[in-house]
Amino acid sequence: IVYIDADKHQFYIQEDEQTMDKISDEVKMCSEDISSDDIQINSMVISTFEDEPYRALIQSDLDDNVEVYFIDYGNRNICPKSSLKKCTEQLKEYPAQAKCCQLYEVSSNDLDEAFKQLNDYIESDQTEYSVINQNNNLYNVILYINGECFNDKFHHDTTFEMDDQASITTTTTVKEQERPISTTAKRNNDEIRKAFLPQICHAW
């Protein structure tokens, strides 16, 4: 988890550490000033946050400043146009690394408390997640922190509705997922052949 937007009850995750390392190294090499013609809405630039450079999309033009969205982290910032650097074509080829997520089936009454607790685990390397469904670029997920289901700490929202019926997935606990699947109802090819062989021979 790289950024938590508690007001919107959303958080952002990165899952490809190797690609992020490449992006970070290449971003630091960008030193060319950007021209005023290149400062356009949705243009990708290099912008700084707390003195560190990152890939960003321009969201709005505010005269001498711009509002930018950091596509690899999910947060936004307002910065001077004079601080922007040109983004190389190679950097533009990498997909955005931040995935926007929300907690699956957690009651709206418990979301404030859930995100207050979630803040304690930002950047934890003991966090895993399971995507239940996706609506455009928003992922509904179940979080597992230190091996425990984070969602289960809060009441599930029984009024939760899905736009896409085909994407509904039954939520199971870790223990349920680890149970062996019963094979008693399955028949292998040999069994099937033995069952039908007498009928075939009789017909011949």
Side-chain angles (χ1 to χ4, degrees):
I1 301 175
V2 291
Y3 175 64
I4 296 175
D5 189 343
D7 292 336
K8 293 183 178 179
H9 296 141
Q10 295 174 349
F11 59 97
Y12 292 79
I13 58 174
Q14 291 174 355
E15 59 183 4
D16 189 344
E17 188 176 351
Q18 246 183 346
T19 299
M20 269 309 305
D21 287 342
K22 291 179 182 177
I23 291 172
S24 297
D25 289 342
E26 292 179 30
V27 162
K28 291 173 184 176
M29 303 297 291
C30 295
S31 57
E32 184 179 347
D33 292 333
I34 195 169
S35 66
S36 56
D37 293 337
D38 291 328
I39 300 177
Q40 300 176 11
I41 304 301
N42 290 328
S43 292
M44 189 180 294
V45 296
I46 304 299
S47 181
T48 56
F49 184 79
E50 295 182 350
D51 297 327
E52 290 294 327
Y54 303 99
R55 295 193 304 168
L57 289 179
I58 296 176
Q59 299 291 283
S60 56
D61 192 326
L62 308 171
D63 296 328
D64 293 334
N65 301 318
V66 289
E67 181 186 13
V68 297
Y69 167 67
F70 295 100
I71 64 172
D72 299 317
Y73 292 87
N75 57 318
R76 298 170 186 267
N77 194 31
I78 294 176
C79 61
K81 290 180 179 178
S82 58
S83 68
L84 301 177
K85 301 296 181 183
K86 190 171 183 178
C87 185
T88 64
E89 293 302 316
Q90 182 173 335
L91 272 172
K92 292 178 182 179
E93 293 296 318
Y94 292 106
Q97 297 297 298
K99 285 186 176 180
C100 184
C101 303
Q102 63 183 15
L103 294 170
Y104 178 70
E105 280 197 341
V106 171
S107 168
S108 56
N109 295 329
D110 293 317
L111 281 172
D112 286 340
E113 179 59 27
F115 273 79
K116 182 179 178 181
Q117 292 188 30
L118 188 62
N119 211 47
D120 295 335
Y121 300 104
I122 192 167
E123 295 184 356
S124 168
D125 58 0
Q126 299 299 315
T127 302
E128 298 177 315
Y129 70 98
S130 177
V131 176
I132 302 302
N133 55 67
Q134 178 184 354
N135 184 8
N136 294 325
N137 292 322
L138 180 63
Y139 296 81
N140 286 292
V141 304
I142 294 177
L143 279 182
Y144 298 93
I145 300 175
N146 297 323
E148 296 183 359
C149 182
F150 183 78
N151 301 52
D152 281 350
K153 292 183 178 182
F154 309 96
H155 300 299
H156 281 202
D157 188 352
T158 56
T159 63
F160 188 90
E161 295 182 358
M162 300 286 298
D163 293 332
D164 183 5
Q165 282 296 115
S167 63
I168 293 178
T169 304
T170 302
T171 305
T172 58
T173 64
V174 174
K175 290 183 179 179
E176 287 172 334
Q177 291 173 353
E178 291 174 351
R179 291 175 188 163
I181 298 172
S182 174
T183 58
T184 55
K186 294 183 179 180
R187 305 171 72 184
N188 60 34
N189 290 336
D190 289 337
E191 290 172 333
I192 293 171
R193 279 197 294 270
K194 287 177 182 177
F196 285 95
L197 188 58
Q199 299 177 29
I200 295 171
C201 292
H202 180 72
W204 285 348

